[in-house]
Amino acid sequence: MAGQWFESVAEAQRRARKRLPKSVYGALVAGSEAGVTLDDNTGAFRELGFAPHVADLPAERSLATTIMGQEISMPIMISPTGVQAVNPEGEVAVARAAASRGTAMGLSSFASRSIEDVCAVNDKTFFQMYWVGDRDTLAARAERAKRAGAKGLIVTLDWSFSHGRDWGSPSIPEKMDWKTILKYIPEGVSRPKWGIEFLRSGKIPDLTVPNIPVDGSVPPTFFGAYGQWMFTPPPTWADVAWLREQWGTDSPFCVKGITRADDAKRAVDAGATAIQVSNHGGNNLDSTPAPIRVLPGIVEAVGRDVEVIMDGGIRRGSDVVKALALGANAVAVGRAYLWGLAAAGEVGVGNVLDILRGGLDSGLLGLGKKSVQELAPEDLLIPPNFARTATNS
């Protein structure tokens, strides 16, 4: 729409900050503890340079690829993020925007919209699960996702509940009711457009998570589901292998949260067909290196055996180029599309994806590549000691 277009993810973030109440915006930018990992996720990309060509450049370039069994128009997919109450349509708006750009949607089990609603608008949807509940519950949740049409399962293992933040944690209410709304009126008054948008939709920000129940029961609140997660014993690799069997050995199965080569190998041994190199957007154990730093070692260890997806710090198309050159098959974006969603809803998410696609295409042109599959480490200027490797294998 005229007047809503923006030319960078940084501008989407600026508009999101201007539009959202302080506590809502704070939830989007939060990282754990001192924010060392949060800063490194973006800062590490700045250390990588390009080695461009200036002639014999390809007039046409192919960005298309395949990830987890799905043909996508570009190696950029939506990473699953929890309760997207920055817009009345939430995850459905994101899924529509991704579908309109021909790419895949990752839906969180802590999302504000159901797996059924999202699969109805994007047939390239992967369902993400946390380890919440006993085995029977986990198997039933996976079966629900498959019945809804999910094309693959993403199992997230990377969160140690390290949530203390030096600058304070964002204020997130237990639930949204009229008492809570009255409490947050001062914040809403300072950002009236956001509140008016919800009023016009006939909705209030929904903090329940409809993808947790498997028996038709009332969905828990976000913090209710969070509590269930915290009190569920952490899974073993044997548990992961069990869930892989439950999901079905003929369907894509991704393990998310890998930052070590030995964990990557264990994920492969457990039956993963893909791994997602990730530190939970800087919300796991602070001082974990940026995913782009650990990516080369993980690709070397398992890149011939499984697909490798990377998330964390993607803000422009050139970041995507760097991740692909270091061996990722695709990248997943999180905060970038959430800022687009906050700035302009479905249109804003599409805008962010177009920005990333345009930057990726420009990178291919400058490097003289006809397709994303041709990118290699030799296209980058990599400083000494850039990479980080941790393994006990």
Side-chain angles (χ1 to χ4, degrees):
M1 297 180 190
Q4 288 188 315
W5 184 84
F6 41 85
E7 65 179 11
S8 68
V9 173
E11 175 61 14
Q13 181 180 4
R14 189 192 71 79
R15 294 190 189 187
R17 184 172 188 172
K18 185 177 180 180
R19 186 179 184 86
L20 295 175
K22 182 179 179 181
S23 58
V24 179
Y25 178 76
L28 294 189
V29 297
S32 61
E33 296 185 335
V36 173
T37 295
L38 182 67
D39 292 341
D40 196 39
N41 280 3
T42 53
F45 281 101
R46 298 189 183 99
E47 297 178 24
L48 294 170
F50 286 123
H53 295 283
V54 294
D56 292 331
L57 304 180
E60 296 182 359
R61 298 155 302 279
S62 173
L63 276 60
T65 192
T66 300
I67 197 73
M68 292 179 65
Q70 299 302 303
E71 295 181 0
I72 53 179
S73 65
M74 56 184 169
I76 303 166
M77 57 178 278
I78 297 295
S79 196
T81 62
V83 183
Q84 294 176 11
V86 300
N87 176 272
E89 291 300 309
E91 292 84 0
V92 168
V94 176
R96 284 197 189 107
S100 71
R101 269 60 178 185
T103 196
M105 170 76 182
L107 180 70
S108 173
S109 57
F110 281 11
S112 63
R113 298 297 297 267
S114 73
I115 180 66
E116 292 82 6
D117 286 349
V118 169
C119 283
V121 299
N122 190 323
D123 62 2
K124 301 179 190 294
T125 293
F126 307 130
F127 183 61
Q128 176 271 348
M129 283 177 52
Y130 292 111
W131 208 267
V132 179
D134 59 21
R135 280 191 169 190
D136 288 344
T137 302
L138 288 159
R141 192 173 295 130
E143 180 58 30
R144 176 187 169 187
K146 183 167 283 190
R147 286 197 310 270
K151 297 301 193 299
L153 193 68
I154 301 172
V155 182
T156 296
L157 304 182
D158 62 327
W159 203 351
S160 60
F161 305 105
S162 177
H163 52 76
R165 297 175 174 92
D166 289 6
W167 53 88
S169 295
S171 175
I172 303 175
E174 169 67 19
K175 61 181 180 179
M176 288 302 292
D177 52 23
W178 287 111
K179 182 178 179 181
T180 304
I181 291 171
L182 288 172
K183 177 183 176 182
Y184 281 88
I185 278 179
E187 275 197 46
V189 169
S190 68
R191 298 290 189 271
K193 291 183 179 180
W194 183 76
I196 291 170
E197 185 176 27
F198 273 94
L199 288 173
R200 285 176 175 170
S201 72
K203 303 175 182 178
I204 60 175
D206 192 354
L207 299 181
T208 60
V209 286
N211 294 311
I212 292 297
V214 295
D215 56 3
S217 57
V218 176
T221 64
F222 175 83
F223 283 107
Y226 185 91
Q228 292 179 40
W229 184 17
M230 287 190 70
F231 289 103
T232 299
T236 64
W237 284 113
D239 289 326
V240 176
W242 165 83
L243 183 58
R244 201 276 176 274
E245 292 294 326
Q246 298 300 308
W247 177 248
T249 55
D250 59 340
S251 298
F253 184 89
C254 177
V255 175
K256 179 179 178 291
I258 301 295
T259 59
R260 300 171 57 109
D262 50 358
D263 276 353
K265 291 177 180 178
R266 291 186 180 105
V268 173
D269 291 342
T273 61
I275 60 170
Q276 191 159 333
V277 181
S278 173
N279 56 35
H280 219 103
N283 279 289
N284 189 29
L285 192 62
D286 201 23
S287 295
T288 301
I292 192 70
R293 294 191 191 278
V294 301
L295 177 64
I298 291 171
V299 169
E300 182 179 2
V302 301
R304 290 177 295 276
D305 304 314
V306 293
E307 294 176 316
V308 179
I309 303 164
M310 195 214 81
D311 73 77
I314 300 291
R315 300 291 184 269
R316 46 193 62 83
S318 59
D319 296 337
V320 181
V321 174
K322 292 170 184 178
L324 299 177
L326 290 181
N329 298 103
V331 303
V333 294
R335 286 185 178 90
Y337 78 77
L338 288 174
W339 291 328
L341 180 65
E346 180 182 335
V347 172
V349 178
N351 195 156
V352 164
L353 291 173
D354 289 343
I355 290 166
L356 296 177
R357 181 185 179 91
L360 170 58
D361 186 57
S362 293
L364 288 181
L365 176 62
L367 294 170
K369 304 297 182 181
K370 293 181 180 179
S371 77
V372 291
Q373 283 78 22
E374 292 182 358
L375 290 166
E378 292 73 26
D379 296 312
L380 304 181
L381 303 174
I382 306 172
N385 303 317
F386 172 81
R388 305 286 187 272
T389 303
T391 179
N392 290 327
S393 59

Short mmCIF file of all heavy atoms in Angstrom, two decimals, residues 15-16 18 31 42-43 52 100 163 177 185 189 240 247 311 337 339 345 351 354 368 370:
data_model
loop_
_atom_site.label_atom_id
_atom_site.label_comp_id
_atom_site.label_asym_id
_atom_site.label_seq_id
_atom_site.Cartn_x
_atom_site.Cartn_y
_atom_site.Cartn_z
N ARG A 15 9.72 1.78 12.72
CA ARG A 15 8.26 1.97 12.70
C ARG A 15 7.58 1.10 13.75
O ARG A 15 6.58 1.52 14.35
CB ARG A 15 7.72 1.65 11.31
CG ARG A 15 8.21 2.63 10.25
CD ARG A 15 7.47 2.44 8.94
NE ARG A 15 8.09 3.22 7.88
CZ ARG A 15 7.58 3.36 6.65
NH1 ARG A 15 6.44 2.76 6.35
NH2 ARG A 15 8.21 4.08 5.74
N ALA A 16 8.10 -0.12 13.96
CA ALA A 16 7.53 -0.98 14.99
C ALA A 16 7.68 -0.34 16.37
O ALA A 16 6.74 -0.35 17.18
CB ALA A 16 8.20 -2.35 14.96
N LYS A 18 7.91 2.79 17.05
CA LYS A 18 7.04 3.97 17.12
C LYS A 18 5.59 3.58 17.29
O LYS A 18 4.81 4.29 17.94
CB LYS A 18 7.22 4.79 15.84
CG LYS A 18 6.46 6.11 15.84
CD LYS A 18 6.77 6.89 14.57
CE LYS A 18 6.01 8.22 14.56
NZ LYS A 18 6.30 9.00 13.31
N GLY A 31 16.80 -9.97 24.84
CA GLY A 31 17.76 -11.06 24.84
C GLY A 31 18.06 -11.42 26.28
O GLY A 31 17.63 -10.72 27.20
N THR A 42 24.14 -10.16 15.34
CA THR A 42 24.19 -9.21 14.22
C THR A 42 25.62 -8.74 13.96
O THR A 42 26.02 -8.58 12.80
CB THR A 42 23.30 -7.99 14.50
OG1 THR A 42 23.63 -7.43 15.78
CG2 THR A 42 21.82 -8.39 14.51
N GLY A 43 26.40 -8.55 15.02
CA GLY A 43 27.74 -8.01 14.86
C GLY A 43 28.66 -8.93 14.07
O GLY A 43 29.53 -8.45 13.31
N PRO A 52 33.83 -9.35 -4.65
CA PRO A 52 32.97 -9.27 -5.83
C PRO A 52 33.73 -9.22 -7.15
O PRO A 52 34.92 -8.92 -7.20
CB PRO A 52 32.22 -7.95 -5.60
CG PRO A 52 33.19 -7.12 -4.81
CD PRO A 52 33.93 -8.08 -3.93
N SER A 100 2.49 -15.74 -0.30
CA SER A 100 2.46 -14.87 -1.47
C SER A 100 3.84 -14.69 -2.08
O SER A 100 3.97 -14.35 -3.25
CB SER A 100 1.88 -13.49 -1.10
OG SER A 100 2.78 -12.75 -0.28
N HIS A 163 16.69 -16.12 31.80
CA HIS A 163 15.87 -15.01 31.33
C HIS A 163 16.20 -13.67 32.00
O HIS A 163 15.67 -12.64 31.61
CB HIS A 163 14.39 -15.32 31.57
CG HIS A 163 14.08 -15.74 32.97
ND1 HIS A 163 14.02 -14.84 34.00
CD2 HIS A 163 13.85 -16.95 33.51
CE1 HIS A 163 13.75 -15.49 35.12
NE2 HIS A 163 13.65 -16.77 34.86
N ASP A 177 -7.54 -9.46 29.82
CA ASP A 177 -8.95 -9.27 30.13
C ASP A 177 -9.15 -7.77 30.35
O ASP A 177 -8.20 -6.98 30.23
CB ASP A 177 -9.36 -10.09 31.36
CG ASP A 177 -8.45 -9.85 32.56
OD1 ASP A 177 -7.79 -8.77 32.62
OD2 ASP A 177 -8.38 -10.73 33.45
N ILE A 185 -3.76 0.89 29.84
CA ILE A 185 -4.28 2.03 29.08
C ILE A 185 -3.25 3.15 28.91
O ILE A 185 -3.12 3.71 27.81
CB ILE A 185 -5.59 2.57 29.71
CG1 ILE A 185 -6.76 1.71 29.23
CG2 ILE A 185 -5.83 4.02 29.34
CD1 ILE A 185 -8.11 2.12 29.79
N VAL A 189 -2.45 4.59 25.29
CA VAL A 189 -2.72 5.99 24.90
C VAL A 189 -1.51 6.58 24.20
O VAL A 189 -1.64 7.39 23.26
CB VAL A 189 -3.11 6.82 26.14
CG1 VAL A 189 -3.12 8.31 25.81
CG2 VAL A 189 -4.47 6.38 26.66
N VAL A 240 14.39 -37.80 21.59
CA VAL A 240 14.31 -37.17 20.27
C VAL A 240 14.13 -38.23 19.18
O VAL A 240 13.31 -38.08 18.26
CB VAL A 240 15.56 -36.31 19.99
CG1 VAL A 240 15.54 -35.74 18.57
CG2 VAL A 240 15.67 -35.18 21.02
N TRP A 247 6.67 -39.16 14.52
CA TRP A 247 6.34 -38.25 13.44
C TRP A 247 6.26 -38.98 12.11
O TRP A 247 5.46 -38.66 11.25
CB TRP A 247 7.36 -37.11 13.38
CG TRP A 247 7.16 -36.15 12.27
CD1 TRP A 247 7.96 -35.96 11.18
CD2 TRP A 247 6.07 -35.23 12.10
NE1 TRP A 247 7.45 -34.99 10.37
CE2 TRP A 247 6.29 -34.52 10.91
CE3 TRP A 247 4.93 -34.95 12.85
CZ2 TRP A 247 5.41 -33.55 10.44
CZ3 TRP A 247 4.05 -33.98 12.39
CH2 TRP A 247 4.29 -33.29 11.20
N ASP A 311 19.48 -19.56 11.71
CA ASP A 311 18.78 -18.32 12.06
C ASP A 311 19.61 -17.55 13.06
O ASP A 311 20.52 -18.10 13.69
CB ASP A 311 17.39 -18.61 12.63
CG ASP A 311 17.42 -19.17 14.04
OD1 ASP A 311 17.63 -18.39 15.00
OD2 ASP A 311 17.23 -20.38 14.22
N TYR A 337 10.80 -10.16 10.45
CA TYR A 337 9.41 -10.17 9.96
C TYR A 337 8.44 -9.71 11.04
O TYR A 337 7.38 -9.17 10.73
CB TYR A 337 9.04 -11.54 9.40
CG TYR A 337 8.71 -12.62 10.41
CD1 TYR A 337 7.48 -12.66 11.08
CD2 TYR A 337 9.61 -13.66 10.65
CE1 TYR A 337 7.18 -13.67 11.98
CE2 TYR A 337 9.31 -14.67 11.54
CZ TYR A 337 8.10 -14.67 12.21
OH TYR A 337 7.80 -15.67 13.10
N TRP A 339 8.99 -7.23 13.08
CA TRP A 339 8.98 -5.77 12.95
C TRP A 339 8.12 -5.36 11.75
O TRP A 339 7.37 -4.39 11.82
CB TRP A 339 10.41 -5.24 12.79
CG TRP A 339 11.20 -5.38 14.05
CD1 TRP A 339 10.74 -5.31 15.34
CD2 TRP A 339 12.61 -5.62 14.15
NE1 TRP A 339 11.76 -5.50 16.23
CE2 TRP A 339 12.94 -5.69 15.53
CE3 TRP A 339 13.63 -5.78 13.23
CZ2 TRP A 339 14.23 -5.90 16.00
CZ3 TRP A 339 14.92 -6.00 13.69
CH2 TRP A 339 15.21 -6.06 15.05
N GLY A 345 1.41 -4.96 9.25
CA GLY A 345 0.66 -6.19 9.11
C GLY A 345 1.21 -7.10 8.02
O GLY A 345 2.42 -7.20 7.82
N ASN A 351 6.87 -6.99 2.73
CA ASN A 351 7.88 -5.96 2.47
C ASN A 351 9.26 -6.44 2.95
O ASN A 351 10.27 -6.33 2.23
CB ASN A 351 7.46 -4.68 3.17
CG ASN A 351 8.21 -3.44 2.71
OD1 ASN A 351 7.70 -2.32 2.85
ND2 ASN A 351 9.42 -3.59 2.21
N ASP A 354 10.59 -9.11 0.69
CA ASP A 354 11.05 -8.52 -0.57
C ASP A 354 12.42 -7.85 -0.40
O ASP A 354 13.27 -7.93 -1.30
CB ASP A 354 10.04 -7.49 -1.07
CG ASP A 354 8.75 -8.11 -1.57
OD1 ASP A 354 8.73 -9.33 -1.83
OD2 ASP A 354 7.73 -7.37 -1.68
N GLY A 368 28.91 -12.71 -9.07
CA GLY A 368 28.99 -13.42 -10.34
C GLY A 368 28.41 -14.82 -10.30
O GLY A 368 28.87 -15.71 -11.02
N LYS A 370 25.18 -17.55 -10.71
CA LYS A 370 23.91 -17.74 -11.41
C LYS A 370 22.81 -18.27 -10.49
O LYS A 370 21.63 -18.17 -10.80
CB LYS A 370 24.09 -18.70 -12.59
CG LYS A 370 24.96 -18.15 -13.71
CD LYS A 370 25.06 -19.16 -14.84
CE LYS A 370 25.92 -18.63 -15.97
NZ LYS A 370 26.04 -19.62 -17.08
#
